[in-house]
């Protein structure tokens, strides 16, 4: 499995479900928008700390990012 792509797709899905733009999510999580874009495309390898920040803003547990449909 390509975990980077799974995590990125789940972050993007959750962001859209909450009506957030990339800019808004990145800003609230304290990330550069380009970094978030890379994560969502499965090109970035986020740290545990970054996943925690994103989970906090999205109101989910970090395990949601690893959900396989």
């Amino acid at each position: 499995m390509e975990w980077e792509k799974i995590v990125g797709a789940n972050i993007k899905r959750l962001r859209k479900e909450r009506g957030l733009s990339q800019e808004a999510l990145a800003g609230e999580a304290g990330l550069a928008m380009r970094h978030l874009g890379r994560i969502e495309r499965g090109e970035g390898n986020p740290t545990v700390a970054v996943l925690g920040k994103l989970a906090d803003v999205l109101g989910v547990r970090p395990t949601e990012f690893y959900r396989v449909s």
Side-chain angles (χ1 to χ4, degrees), residues 3-41:
W3 287 107
E4 295 89 350
K5 296 216 181 279
I6 292 167
V7 169
N10 281 323
I11 290 170
K12 184 176 184 176
R13 174 184 54 80
L14 291 163
R15 175 179 60 78
K16 288 186 171 193
E17 285 175 0
R18 283 150 181 79
L20 294 170
S21 65
Q22 274 189 341
E23 186 175 12
L25 177 57
E28 289 187 46
L31 303 174
M33 197 170 78
R34 287 187 349 188
H35 184 54
L36 177 60
R38 291 190 69 225
I39 292 168
E40 286 190 354
R41 290 189 303 275

Side-chain angles (χ1 to χ4, degrees), residues 35-54:
H35 184 54
L36 177 60
R38 291 190 69 225
I39 292 168
E40 286 190 354
R41 290 189 303 275
E43 298 170 357
N45 214 356
T47 64
V48 172
V50 167
L51 292 176
K53 289 177 185 180
L54 291 169

Side-chain angles (χ1 to χ4, degrees), residues 50-66:
V50 167
L51 292 176
K53 289 177 185 180
L54 291 169
D56 286 345
V57 174
L58 293 168
V60 297
R61 300 186 75 148
T63 56
E64 282 298 306
F65 299 150
Y66 293 91

